[in-house]
Amino acid sequence: MVLKRKHPPVTSQDPCGASPCETIDESLSQICCASLGAFPSHRSLGGLSSEQLDRIFPTLKVAPPEGPPPPQDDTSTRLVDDADHPFMPAGPNDMRGPCPGLNTLASHGYLPRNGIATPAQVINATMQGFNMEFSLAKFVTYAAFLVDGNPITNLMSIGGKSDLTGEDPPDPATVGGLNTHAVFEGDASMTRADAFFGDNHSFNQTLWDGFVDFSNRFGAGKYNLTVATELRIQRIQDSIATNPQFSFVSPRFITAYAESTFPINFFIDGRQQDGQLDLDAAISFFRDMRYPSGFFRAPKPMGVEGIETIIAAHPIAAGANNGAVNTYTPDPHSGDFNSFCTVYTNFVNETIRGLYPSPTGILKDSLNRNLDFLHEFVSGCPQIFPWGR
């Protein structure tokens, strides 16, 4: 759960605190401030009526959705740990989150180092820094942005909730960044704990020890597809046995298998690309959030190559525990790899509509535009217009 910060009362030092605003309730005070052209920063818009929102939105720093950038012209391997992108550790106020790849891109300046980025910046960074395939970069970016970013300001945190993404849209949207549980981030990560245990985004040494153990047992000291198949099912079984709230339905059902392939496809030096990830290189990404020294990106655009092998090795149906450990029950309504259009439909109709049940005006326009970008990846599926065209 992401809790909204309580806001201090309006005072005479507040530019909107002078009479008559200071004598009215918070909702009306917000509108009064908006009419003065200075909506108070970092206040929630939750609980306001459509009329009130229509008056406030024009005063915000609105950034209309920008189209995705084009594919790269040069998709060959090249040095990415270069002089223009030196490693700098995250500062105390910089955002880092559950994705080691994005953390690394921010630490090297391919993304803004504070961890606050637009969708176009994320797409460009994943292509430039890792040679991620263009359509996959678009899909994962817009899927994450729609649930974790701010559609009004066009900004998203790659970690926790941040004031830098702007004022919140109305509840129940959270704009909580990629750390937000159960909308894009999910359980059974390889190196991050389930949210039930308190921290779903920080490097977990115990899980890393398991990563190393499986790499030694099944990969002769390297992480490869054989290791990925065994570690993926083990992490699922661990969560079933220890997390009463374990959920493994789409979209997490999809992203969990995809993330098992990413270390092989993106964390192996592009001059090597033998499918064998050295553990010293792996920990550089997973824990230290930096490229290994002199790292070259993949030699060609890469996506989720190898995912079919991981899925087929230990099939399991999408499902969840029922409030107690070892109660895993398949969910027939969850999409899977055999029904990707169902995954897309459920994501739009349930997840996104759950966060934005009745958007209007600028907010609705921004959401619809970003949904258009998302649908480009699944153009074979009928497009869903949850609030009308």
Side-chain angles (χ1 to χ4, degrees):
M1 179 181 294
V2 176
L3 300 178
K4 295 187 180 297
R5 187 173 65 182
K6 293 183 179 180
H7 307 296
V10 178
T11 67
S12 59
Q13 284 74 39
D14 191 309
C16 293
S19 179
C21 297
E22 62 186 0
T23 62
I24 56 183
D25 67 42
E26 181 177 358
S27 296
L28 293 179
S29 176
Q30 291 175 348
I31 295 174
C32 179
C33 292
S35 70
L36 296 176
F39 182 76
S41 62
H42 319 317
R43 291 198 175 184
S44 170
L45 304 183
L48 303 186
S49 69
S50 296
E51 180 181 356
Q52 291 168 336
L53 291 171
D54 287 341
R55 295 179 64 181
I56 289 173
F57 278 140
T59 74
L60 304 182
K61 293 180 179 179
V62 174
E66 57 186 325
Q72 301 178 92
D73 293 328
D74 178 7
T75 59
S76 63
T77 191
R78 61 177 172 82
L79 178 69
V80 287
D81 177 37
D82 58 17
D84 292 332
H85 300 92
F87 170 75
M88 293 177 59
N93 297 316
D94 293 338
M95 289 294 173
R96 300 293 185 267
C99 178
L102 293 182
N103 293 341
T104 297
L105 292 171
S107 295
H108 283 269
Y110 284 95
L111 284 173
R113 293 183 185 271
N114 65 0
I116 307 299
T118 69
Q121 287 174 322
V122 175
I123 294 168
N124 265 326
T126 54
M127 291 192 299
Q128 293 171 5
F130 287 116
N131 219 354
M132 180 176 281
E133 192 273 325
F134 176 58
S135 63
L136 177 64
K138 283 197 304 180
F139 178 73
V140 296
T141 297
Y142 285 110
F145 178 74
L146 278 160
V147 294
D148 292 330
N150 191 328
I152 296 298
T153 62
N154 201 41
L155 292 169
M156 178 177 68
S157 165
I158 68 170
K161 191 169 181 65
S162 172
D163 291 340
L164 297 179
T165 59
E167 295 81 9
D168 289 348
D171 289 334
T174 61
V175 192
L178 294 185
N179 289 2
T180 306
H181 180 58
V183 286
F184 194 75
E185 176 278 337
D187 293 329
S189 167
M190 293 187 293
T191 62
R192 270 62 177 173
D194 291 1
F196 174 78
F197 300 110
D199 183 349
N200 65 341
H201 56 275
S202 301
F203 175 81
N204 184 292
Q205 183 64 49
T206 300
L207 292 179
W208 171 254
D209 291 343
F211 187 102
V212 171
D213 175 54
F214 270 64
S215 297
N216 288 332
R217 288 164 55 192
F218 298 102
K222 308 283 187 179
Y223 179 84
N224 55 30
L225 268 181
T226 301
V227 177
T229 62
E230 300 305 321
L231 184 57
R232 171 45 51 214
I233 190 63
Q234 181 63 42
R235 288 294 300 121
I236 295 168
Q237 291 171 342
D238 285 346
S239 289
I240 291 173
T242 61
N243 179 0
Q245 298 175 8
F246 175 56
S247 177
F248 202 56
V249 296
S250 65
R252 178 55 184 165
F253 184 81
I254 305 295
T255 61
Y257 287 96
E259 76 177 25
S260 294
T261 71
F262 286 171
I264 300 168
N265 296 333
F266 299 117
F267 294 172
I268 297 176
D269 191 289
R271 297 165 296 180
Q272 178 184 349
Q273 281 297 303
D274 59 358
Q276 308 293 319
L277 175 62
D278 184 84
L279 295 183
D280 287 339
I283 200 167
S284 183
F285 289 104
F286 282 110
R287 183 191 65 191
D288 301 336
M289 300 178 284
R290 66 182 300 175
Y291 291 126
S293 179
F295 185 80
F296 278 63
R297 71 181 190 175
K300 63 180 181 179
M302 300 290 287
V304 293
E305 287 83 353
I307 195 170
E308 299 89 352
T309 300
I310 301 173
I311 297 166
H314 301 287
I316 185 171
N321 275 344
N322 294 322
V325 299
N326 295 316
T327 58
Y328 190 81
T329 305
D331 182 351
H333 302 293
S334 173
D336 56 26
F337 293 98
N338 296 317
S339 54
F340 204 79
C341 287
T342 301
V343 174
Y344 161 71
T345 299
N346 290 348
F347 182 68
V348 176
N349 279 340
E350 296 176 14
T351 303
I352 297 179
R353 283 195 69 179
L355 294 170
Y356 297 97
S358 55
T360 59
I362 294 170
L363 179 59
K364 177 183 175 182
D365 292 344
S366 296
L367 288 167
N368 277 335
R369 187 71 176 125
N370 283 294
L371 282 170
D372 287 343
F373 300 144
L374 178 76
H375 183 257
E376 291 173 6
F377 183 84
V378 289
S379 56
C381 304
Q383 186 168 2
I384 305 299
F385 301 93
W387 314 285
R389 294 176 184 266

